[in-house]
Amino acid sequence: MQSERAYVAGLYRRLDGERARVRREYEQALGDNGGTPLERDVRVRSLDRERARLDVADNGLCFGRLDAVSGEHSYIGRIGLFDQENDYEPVLLDWRAPAARPFYTATGATPENMRRRRQFLTRGRTVVDFTDEVFGHPESAEHGDAALLAAVNAARGEGMRDIVATIQAEQDEIIRHDHPGVLVIEGGPGTGKTVVALHRVAYLLYTRRERMERHGVLVIGPNPAFLNHISRVLPSLGETDVVFLTPGELVPGRHITAEDTPEVARCKGSLKMLDVLSAAIADRQRLPEEPVPIGLGDVTVRIDAETAEWARDEARASGLLHNEARSVFVEIVAYVLTERAIARIGRDWLTREDRESWEELRQNLLGQLAGDVQFTAAIEQLWPILTPESLLSTLYTGPERLRAAGADPALLRADGEAWTVSDVPLLDELVDLLGAVRKPAGQDAEEARQAAYASGVLEILHTERQDLMDDEDHLLAQDLLHAGDLAEHFVERDTRDLAERAAADRDWTYRHVVVDEAQELSEMDWRVIMRRCPARSFTVVGDLAQRRSAAGARSWGEMLERYVPGRWVYRSLSVNYRTPSEIMTVAAAVLAGFSPEVQPPDSVRACGVQPWSRQVDEDEMSAAIEEFVSTEAGREGTSVVIGPPGVAEAVSPAETKGLEFDAVLVVEPERILADSPRGAAELYVALTRATQRLGVLHRDPLPPALRGLTPLVAAADAAT
């Protein structure tokens, strides 16, 4: 024990020395005026990342040791440390390094040339105990699970913890999976699929850092509470270039949480909405019901249906997006009007043979049209500039517009801008269907001037940095910045970190995307997500049995094949590390009722406390809930009350997806079942959030699947 304590203490001294060195170099780099600004910026950012990497290692710096058959041994930890005075020999292996893999995968049957695995129990910076698993000794097998059981039995804190010290072989295989496309991880409640996906991100950033860190990683989760719960995992592993978003935040500037009814959500989530959106845009490209008079010079000309139809056909045939094609529409309408006006104004004195005079008069008339209020109003009626928000809001509030677009009448609503999560993929789609909104006159010219100047600067940087070029693994300055981007930096330097810049930029593309609770996402959601990652590098996490959305996935192939045909692989997790067997037995009975073909995950432990039920009347309900809350407040760990809408102090099952609590009280399960078509899946989610204690309060008789719960009278001792 003393030798291990001494070795780990030495690692911490080395860590402190590395921190001090990097801090000094970082401060020197900040004040260094030598070299180019680009070189200085690269140096500062590199040292800042190294500071962050070293700062995460205080808690659990070293958590184990591997002894090889050859007699060599290696210490395994949160980060890698090296002896700079001895040819950079590793004194601590990063858990992601290939040489560290046997720490997670070696078994008595397949020891992988290892003799022993030692797992440390630490408190602060001190080793207080360890367990050994000697491969080939049957009597030692039980010790291999000691660290795992200690972790899963521990009281829950405010956020998800990393599992670097207790990764199991089944999980490690997925974490280190090197598939370049889409990896689907499916697992029932408590199997650790989310934390495995996050550790896979950390592994990919370790093995592909040059390619991944410039663009960052996007993690999509079902709600803000879930993202807050998991947000500590990657920083605890030294990775910070990660953006966390919910589906309601995939359009920058939007933080939408409201949900539609199942029928409307299903409708909006279908790919049929692509035809609806296209038809809605076409419906705004109109012909005048009556000719529109426009005064030009001393004559009046009219925009008639024939002229507008010709202009509309040409604008549509241009291949430009709606807002950009408006210039084609305006050009043709203006041409027809000026031709008609010139013919009348110059009837007695001007012929087409006098091209110079004809064109001079045309330019004069075009100038008049540009400032004519009637002409501008007519164009706005016939071919308006549209934003995604303006198109959708007028569509939702107009029965006639819905009919014209072939949309389901269920989309009609009183407040067109009462946005829901299901609207987000439609708003995003419309960005690509409508095109950019034109900028005020003069702004385009000024931005073009600045961009031209910036382009020259980029060319200089290209020449200076030519030595950095590597066909695949290095990007030059122009790969990182467009000239327009650099022009903006002349006004004010962008000091935001990568995650902040990426989250604010709708056109930002990520190198890798994690999609959690993916079974809830619609066909339209997937279009948004695929646009965010052209490389199609994804870790997809979900459980089809827990699907609650009417628009969600019924099979993974149904959602993925159209985007990554033949480029997605499936892996499953079968062991439940969170839910004790007593609670999982209850949840499995509910699962069998709505998805009998799904095998529930096997729990690795029992908690010794039987789940209980208690029937109360309406007057007793509030007091019973308060009693639970008061009792749990005096215990270590976390607790939650889950119930249908309208129950005081209760959250919905949807709000707890992906979360875990020491104690859970499920209120009125019969109402949860009846609340939606996927009520059984909602109840299954609610029952599987508990890691230690589960209680059920009900007014009406229990659903058949829950009648095996122990009545409170019999469970009182265990429950309290």
Side-chain angles (χ1 to χ4, degrees), residues 208 253-254 424:
R208 306 179 190 173
R254 297 287 179 186
V424 171

Side-chain angles (χ1 to χ4, degrees), residues 119-334:
Q119 293 177 289
F120 296 149
L121 174 63
T122 59
R123 186 174 295 117
R125 291 186 165 204
T126 304
V127 176
V128 296
D129 199 3
F130 62 76
T131 60
D132 281 346
E133 183 178 2
V134 180
F135 301 120
H137 289 210
E139 67 275 9
S140 72
E142 63 184 67
H143 299 301
D145 290 333
L148 171 65
L149 292 176
V152 297
N153 280 314
R156 265 48 192 172
E158 293 186 359
M160 180 179 283
R161 297 166 294 194
D162 65 64
I163 57 170
V164 288
T166 58
I167 294 171
Q168 301 301 291
E170 178 186 55
Q171 299 169 326
D172 185 79
E173 188 273 332
I174 294 173
I175 289 169
R176 296 176 193 264
H177 202 292
D178 208 30
H179 182 67
V182 178
L183 174 63
V184 176
I185 307 173
E186 184 163 30
T191 53
K193 52 189 178 294
T194 295
V195 75
V196 166
L198 296 175
H199 282 67
R200 182 172 190 246
V201 169
Y203 174 75
L204 293 175
L205 283 166
Y206 178 81
T207 57
R208 306 179 190 173
R209 187 166 301 279
E210 285 297 317
R211 296 185 181 184
M212 291 186 66
E213 69 179 357
R214 294 189 186 94
H215 294 267
V217 173
L218 171 62
V219 177
I220 301 172
N223 54 58
F226 174 84
L227 293 181
N228 182 61
H229 179 65
I230 69 171
S231 62
R232 298 171 179 83
V233 174
L234 284 167
S236 76
L237 299 173
E239 308 299 348
T240 57
D241 290 337
V242 181
V243 176
F244 294 89
L245 297 175
T246 67
E249 297 171 322
L250 288 174
V251 172
R254 297 287 179 186
H255 302 279
I256 300 170
T257 58
E259 293 190 1
D260 284 303
T261 64
E263 179 187 3
V264 174
R266 177 190 53 75
C267 178
K268 290 181 181 178
S270 169
L271 290 179
K272 295 177 182 177
M273 283 301 297
L274 294 174
D275 294 332
V276 171
L277 296 179
S278 295
I281 295 171
D283 183 54
R284 302 300 297 274
Q285 301 163 356
R286 309 185 73 86
L287 306 180
E289 296 180 3
E290 298 291 339
V292 181
I294 305 293
L296 270 183
D298 296 330
V299 302
T300 297
V301 291
R302 289 172 173 78
I303 305 176
D304 53 30
E306 184 180 9
T307 298
E309 185 174 20
W310 176 31
R312 185 180 67 178
D313 291 345
E314 290 297 321
R316 288 176 176 176
S318 69
L320 298 173
L321 301 177
H322 171 85
N323 289 333
E324 296 157 6
R326 170 168 154 141
S327 62
V328 178
F329 181 84
V330 172
E331 181 181 354
I332 292 175
V333 172

Side-chain angles (χ1 to χ4, degrees), residues 169 303 362 555:
I303 305 176
R362 181 197 302 284
S555 77

